[in-house]
Amino acid sequence: MGIFSLLTGIPGQSGFGSASTAEQVTQGIDASNLTAIVTGGASGIGRETARVLALRKAHVVIAARNMDAANEARQLILEENEDARVDVLQLDLCSMKSIKAFVENFNALHLPLNILINNAGIMFCPHQLSEDGIEVQFATNHIGHFLLTNLLLDKMKSTAKETGIEGRIVNLSSIAHLYTYEDGIRFDMINDRDSYSDKKAYGQSKLANILHANELSRWLKAEGANITVNSVHPGLIMTNLMKHSLLLMRILHMFSYLLWKNIPQGAATTCYVALHPSLKGVTGRYFLDCNEMEPSAFAKDEKLAKKLWAFSQKLVDSCTKIEK
Ligand SMILES: NC(=O)c1ccc[n+]([C@@H]2O[C@H](COP(=O)([O-])OP(=O)(O)OC[C@H]3O[C@@H](n4cnc5c(N)ncnc54)[C@H](OP(=O)(O)O)[C@@H]3O)[C@@H](O)[C@H]2O)c1
C-alpha cells in the first residue's frame, strides 16, 4: 500500500483499500454477541466507528468527555437504527480520577467486554499539563488509554474466557508516529516546556500508541489470553482533531486533497481490525487502509516498548498515590 493505492483506492491484499468505507469492510458481519467501548465516540472517526459497530448489532458504549455531543451521537444512531444498543458514559482521558470513575460506571452496567477501541485523541495543542501534571498530548493519547486498558483488562479476559470469543483492542495511532523526538520517547523530559514541539509531542504520543499495543499484545500472547491488540493509522481525514492547526491543515488539504479521506473511509481500518474474521489471531500489527504495514523502527523496538510500559506504569502509580 503506497501513494498509488492511496490515490486510486485500489484494494490491497485484504481486498480493501483507502476508498473502502467502514460499512463496506464490515458488510455481512454479525456482531450481535459483542460489546464494544469506543473512546472519543462522540465525534469524527470514533462516532462513525460507533455507528457502524451498532449497525452490525454490537452493543456500543460511547465513552466521551462531552456528554451533550455523546447523547447527540447516540440519538443519531438510534434515528437511523431504532434497535441499536448504545450507551453513553463520561470519560476524560486527561484525568485518572475520571478514568477510574468511567470503569466503575461501566462495571455497574454488568456488560461483557469484547472490543476496546482506544480512539480519542488530541493533536498539536500548545504546551499544557493534564489534571495529573502530565504533558497533555502524552496524557490524553497514551497514558489515559494505558490506564483505561489496564483497568478493563480483567473484564476483557473473563469475557473472552467465558464466551470463547476472541477479544480485540484497537489503538488509533497515526502515520505521524514517524515524526517524533530524537529518541522516540523522551522519558526524561516528558513535561519539558522549553523544548516542547506540538508536532513532535503528537508524533511521540502516537508512537506510544503502537508501542503500547505491541507490548500488551506480547503479554497477552504469553499469558494465553484470547485477546488481540493492534494499532491503526486511519488516513488523513478533516475532523475536529485539526482545531489547533486549522490554517496549516487547510493549506495542506488544498495541495494534497487527493490523499484525504472522508469520515466513513476514515473509520474503515478501525472497524476492519475490530470485526473482520480474517484477522482472527492477528496481534501486535499495524494497519493502514485495512492492510498490514510496517511501522517505524522505533515502533518495532521491543526494548523501547518495555521501557515505555515501565515508565507509564510508574507515572500512573505515582499519580494515583497522590490522588489517594
Ligand atoms: N483525522 C485524522 O486525519 C487522523 C489521522 C491520524 C490519526 N488520527 C487519530 O484518530 C483518532 C480520532 O481522531 P478524529 O480525527 O476523529 O478527531 P476528533 O473528531 O477530534 O475526535 C477525537 C475525539 O477524542 C475526544 N477526546 C479528546 N480529548 C479527550 C479526553 N481528554 N477525554 C476523552 N475524550 C477526548 C474528543 O472529544 P472532545 O470533542 O470533547 O474534544 C473527540 O470526540 C485520534 O486518536 C487521532 O489521533 C486521526
Side-chain angles (χ1 to χ4, degrees):
M1 304 300 287
I3 292 275
F4 180 72
S5 44
L6 184 60
L7 285 171
T8 57
I10 285 177
Q13 266 197 332
S14 67
F16 303 113
S18 61
S20 306
T21 65
E23 284 199 24
Q24 287 166 346
V25 305
T26 57
Q27 192 68 47
I29 295 176
D30 177 4
S32 56
N33 54 354
L34 304 178
T35 299
I37 292 176
V38 183
T39 71
S43 65
I45 298 166
R47 185 161 106 177
E48 178 66 359
T49 301
R51 184 188 77 79
V52 173
L53 293 182
L55 185 69
R56 300 298 172 227
K57 300 195 171 67
H59 188 149
V60 177
V61 177
I62 294 177
R65 65 174 165 183
N66 177 341
M67 289 306 275
D68 288 342
N71 281 315
E72 196 188 312
R74 176 176 182 271
Q75 202 47 44
L76 286 171
I77 293 173
L78 289 170
E79 274 168 27
E80 182 191 67
N81 167 14
E82 61 178 21
D83 297 327
R85 293 174 296 158
V86 190
D87 288 304
V88 297
L89 285 180
Q90 182 135 41
L91 168 70
D92 181 356
L93 287 158
C94 249
S95 153
M96 296 197 195
K97 207 165 142 190
S98 167
I99 295 167
K100 286 181 187 164
F102 170 84
V103 173
E104 276 171 25
N105 292 332
F106 176 74
N107 287 337
L109 295 176
H110 300 292
L111 289 170
L113 183 59
N114 308 91
I115 298 173
L116 171 61
I117 313 271
N118 287 324
N119 162 84
I122 50 171
M123 183 175 84
F124 298 172
C125 38
H127 190 278
Q128 204 185 322
L129 296 183
S130 71
E131 186 180 294
D132 306 294
I134 305 164
E135 186 280 308
V136 80
Q137 295 196 72
F138 193 70
T140 308
N141 298 350
H142 168 60
I143 290 291
H145 283 125
F146 173 82
L147 175 60
L148 178 71
T149 307
N150 281 352
L151 295 178
L152 291 170
L153 215 48
D154 280 346
K155 169 74 82 178
M156 289 197 76
K157 284 180 192 169
S158 59
T159 302
K161 207 169 181 180
E162 282 157 23
T163 60
I165 301 170
E166 179 182 82
R168 292 190 183 183
I169 299 172
V170 184
N171 278 6
L172 268 280
S173 175
S174 167
I175 193 89
H177 80 273
L178 294 164
Y179 185 70
T180 178
Y181 293 107
E182 204 182 339
D183 299 327
I185 310 281
R186 50 181 207 165
F187 295 103
D188 299 332
M189 297 172 80
I190 211 75
N191 285 346
D192 191 66
R193 185 182 292 268
D194 294 341
S195 57
Y196 178 75
S197 150
D198 56 357
K199 315 277 181 305
K200 288 183 183 173
Y202 179 69
Q204 170 180 254
S205 70
K206 293 286 125 182
L207 169 63
N209 290 148
I210 305 180
L211 291 168
H212 170 224
N214 291 353
E215 185 61 9
L216 182 57
S217 152
R218 281 188 284 270
W219 277 69
L220 293 172
K221 231 197 230 172
E223 223 181 288
N226 186 18
I227 301 172
T228 64
V229 197
N230 292 294
S231 38
V232 306
H233 167 59
L236 272 177
I237 306 105
M238 197 51 88
T239 62
N240 283 341
L241 192 72
M242 316 295 168
K243 65 185 170 207
H244 293 291
S245 53
L246 211 48
L247 184 61
L248 175 71
M249 287 301 161
R250 286 210 173 125
I251 295 169
L252 186 68
H253 185 257
M254 227 158 53
F255 291 106
S256 60
Y257 64 94
L258 289 173
L259 299 177
W260 290 64
K261 295 180 176 181
N262 58 35
I263 289 179
Q265 293 167 338
T269 306
T270 305
C271 290
Y272 172 73
V273 175
L275 287 189
H276 207 275
S278 68
L279 294 187
K280 190 167 170 32
V282 174
T283 188
R285 309 283 173 83
Y286 172 69
F287 291 84
L288 181 157
D289 297 339
C290 302
N291 284 276
E292 200 186 323
M293 284 285 290
E294 284 287 302
S296 70
F298 276 141
K300 289 186 287 187
D301 185 336
E302 272 193 51
K303 255 169 84 179
L304 187 63
K306 287 190 193 317
K307 192 170 173 187
L308 175 67
W309 188 285
F311 178 79
S312 306
Q313 192 58 60
K314 209 168 156 192
L315 207 52
V316 166
D317 289 346
S318 66
C319 294
T320 319
K321 246 180 231 153
I322 292 167
E323 205 182 277
K324 279 179 191 162

